[in-house]
Amino acid sequence: MLRKSASSIWLPTLLWLLSLQPAIQVVAQTSYANDFIDPNYFLKTQFAENTSGAQQTVFTRADEFAALGPWSVMNKSATPPSGSKHDYMSWAPYWWPDCSKAGNKTILTPEQIWTNCTYVNRDGLFNPDVRTVDDIGAVDNLADAVFYNSISWALGKNSSYSKRAASFINTWFLDPATQMNPNLNFAQMIRGVNGTNGTHTGVLDLKCMAKIVTGILILREGKSSDWTSDLDNGMVSWSREYITWLETSTLALQEGWSANNHGTFYYNQLAALKLLVNDPTGAYNATNTYFNNQYLSQIIASGEQPLEAARTRPYHYRSYNLAAMITNAHIWTYASTLLPSPPKTSIWNKTTNAGATIQTALNFAMTISPAQSGEQNYTAELWPNVAAVGAVYGDRNGTYASFLSKAEATYYDEAFFLWDQPLAGGPNNSSSGGSVKKGGTNAALRISLDNWTGAAFVAGVVLLHTISSI
Ligand SMILES: *[C@@H]1O[C@H](CO)[C@@H](O)[C@H](O)[C@H]1NC(C)=O
Ligand SMILES: *[C@@H]1O[C@H](CO)[C@@H](O)[C@H](O)[C@H]1NC(C)=O
Ligand SMILES: *[C@@H]1O[C@H](CO)[C@@H](O)[C@H](O)[C@H]1NC(C)=O
Ligand SMILES: *[C@@H]1O[C@H](CO)[C@@H](O)[C@H](O)[C@H]1NC(C)=O
Ligand SMILES: *[C@@H]1O[C@H](CO)[C@@H](O)[C@H](O)[C@H]1NC(C)=O
Ligand SMILES: *[C@@H]1O[C@H](CO)[C@@H](O)[C@H](O)[C@H]1NC(C)=O
Ligand SMILES: *[C@@H]1O[C@H](CO)[C@@H](O)[C@H](O)[C@H]1NC(C)=O
Ligand SMILES: *[C@@H]1O[C@H](CO)[C@@H](O)[C@H](O)[C@H]1NC(C)=O
Ligand SMILES: *[C@@H]1O[C@H](CO)[C@@H](O)[C@H](O)[C@H]1NC(C)=O
Ligand SMILES: *[C@@H]1O[C@H](CO)[C@@H](O)[C@H](O)[C@H]1NC(C)=O
Ligand SMILES: *[C@@H]1O[C@H](CO)[C@@H](O)[C@H](O)[C@H]1NC(C)=O
Ligand SMILES: CC(=O)N[C@H]1CO[C@H](CO)[C@@H](O)[C@@H]1O
């Protein structure tokens, strides 16, 4: 079984993944790699008329993700080495068991294989049993559910949405029966004889805290009655403990030093959590630490990101790190507004050692066809970044709008079109009049990010999901 060639393992692996569909809980949409949006943008509810399609998409996603929850670390079938399911756990995807030296005389149970065999790396080959423990899938879906439901609440003040977001957060983080302990000691574990700890790359699993914090700040700043002071205090205490883990544990510190997207994403979650605990100075400082360190070497003069281009899926990794850079810049910008003396310059103009900006990296990424590296299934990953850059830097010559409309004719119905504003596009040119569509209608499912169908879509999302965690 372990001696098969790559191609003979690939197909059965995919088919096996497809057979897991109910456990994987795939929804017909791509999860944005990450983002953080100023809560006041949503609470002001002053949107152009031509964002009504995007608003409808947000409502639809809120309902779809909510239908998958609630989620809890207690749902997993396996128990981490600590003995407590309250500890988050995920398994490193490319590692496979070699039982030849286990000394067993009979067939081993899965648990015995996990602890008594030696695990070896087969780069690029997903061990399909990895997703039988799916805390990563759960927390990703939780983050999207909180994000879209909180935004939906801001749009129409329909408390169905705020109740859901509050209840999902309570189940995952706060209810003593179902809560996650504030650590990632067992994330992306390499199982086997010495496989008792997670690995630093697993810290990436909680990058989506930036989306969760966006949602919480909307409920908090918008004074939702469903976001009670008990919940707020509970999340602040949980986050303080987890921040301590992020700033002191060996695994987290190693991740924070990573030169590539892992380092960028580390600051997404650290900085977002500092906002959650009412420490804007800390959030500003954390994102500044990123922009004064890793960032400086991540983009060369052409706009290429060499550390991402070197990976097996360069198109995906360029888009992925761009999303993380944009998230850090969004947090930096929001935190700045809360400082006693806000900085005079904008982080979006900050240049790397080679003189490049986030815009330079985006412009370069737009010139590369995903087909060049066989990554057609990841095409849509770049689009939210195009919209974010167009909105921040401006689109005077229409480059970004025209790229998006060529990629997808109705791109203005994408959720990102609601917050990446101003951005050209949309069905009409009526001016902004503070009009908001009321939430609640369950519009027909929009499969707008890419035209993936059936099994191909499921495979794409599963692969993206898996690749996204390494
Ligand atoms: C040891 O366990 C592995 C995994 O279950 C199995 O493949 C192998 O055949 C076992 N060895 C013996 C001698 O039974
Ligand atoms: C697994 O390894 C432990 C420690 O070496 C040993 O005590 C135990 O008997 C092994 N279990 C099996 C089923 O081989
Ligand atoms: C696991 O981590 C703990 C705490 O950092 C450390 O003491 C222990 O040596 C590690 N175990 C292995 C097998 O690396
Ligand atoms: C497990 O760790 C011990 C102590 O570091 C080491 O001697 C041993 O070789 C390791 N075993 C494997 C299979 O890596
Ligand atoms: C700012 O970040 C540095 C690490 O880059 C840290 O040593 C310092 O304590 C931080 N200050 C604040 C106010 O968070
Ligand atoms: C970059 O700096 C220029 C000059 O100060 C300013 O006009 C522009 O708005 C800045 N760009 C961004 C995206 O902040
Ligand atoms: C159009 O705008 C983009 C982004 O500002 C810029 O990179 C590009 O050079 C511009 N192209 C032309 C022809 O002006
Ligand atoms: C959508 O509305 C905004 C705000 O009125 C406007 O700036 C933008 O140009 C509109 N887009 C189109 C294509 O009409
Ligand atoms: C509020 O949202 C829920 C969930 O989508 C929906 O079922 C309900 O009809 C909405 N209520 C109103 C008043 O729009
Ligand atoms: C997706 O592609 C299929 C096959 O080309 C086509 O039948 C279907 O209408 C497309 N769906 C969308 C939403 O574009
Ligand atoms: C990408 O999607 C196509 C169908 O659109 C599918 O045939 C192919 O297997 C997918 N590739 C990967 C790597 O998932
Ligand atoms: C799929 C599944 O079993 N989900 C459960 C996860 O845990 C929460 C909290 O206990 C349950 O409500 C879900 O039903």
Side-chain angles (χ1 to χ4, degrees), residues 252-276:
L253 292 175
Q254 285 172 339
E255 185 73 347
W257 296 324
S258 301
N260 69 359
N261 69 77
H262 280 266
T264 321
F265 279 117
Y266 170 83
Y267 287 102
N268 283 186
Q269 55 169 312
L270 179 62
L273 285 159
K274 298 222 171 194
L275 291 174
L276 176 56

Side-chain angles (χ1 to χ4, degrees), residues 34-37 210 213-214 267-273 275 280 283-284 286-287 324-337 347-348:
N34 221 7
D35 212 339
F36 172 87
I37 319 292
V213 171
T214 299
Y267 287 102
N268 283 186
Q269 55 169 312
L270 179 62
L273 285 159
L275 291 174
Y284 174 79
T287 46
M325 291 193 284
I326 288 167
T327 301
N328 278 337
H330 278 154
I331 295 175
W332 187 99
T333 305
Y334 175 68
S336 297
T337 65
I347 200 68
W348 300 96

Side-chain angles (χ1 to χ4, degrees), residues 411-435:
Y411 73 92
Y412 44 78
D413 285 345
E414 293 284 3
F416 61 66
F417 190 76
L418 176 58
W419 57 81
D420 287 326
Q421 286 288 337
L423 187 69
N428 62 52
N429 205 9
S430 59
S431 64
S432 158
S435 154

Side-chain angles (χ1 to χ4, degrees), residues 138-168:
V139 78
D140 266 354
N141 284 341
L142 166 79
D144 281 318
V146 169
F147 185 70
Y148 289 115
N149 278 283
S150 301
I151 297 173
S152 294
W153 174 75
L155 297 183
K157 296 294 189 311
N158 174 343
S159 66
S160 298
Y161 297 113
S162 47
K163 281 191 168 57
R164 286 171 177 170
S167 153
F168 290 151

Side-chain angles (χ1 to χ4, degrees), residues 359 363 389 393-400:
Q359 185 179 30
N363 290 350
V389 163
Y393 293 88
D395 192 13
R396 262 174 303 180
N397 58 30
T399 308
Y400 302 119

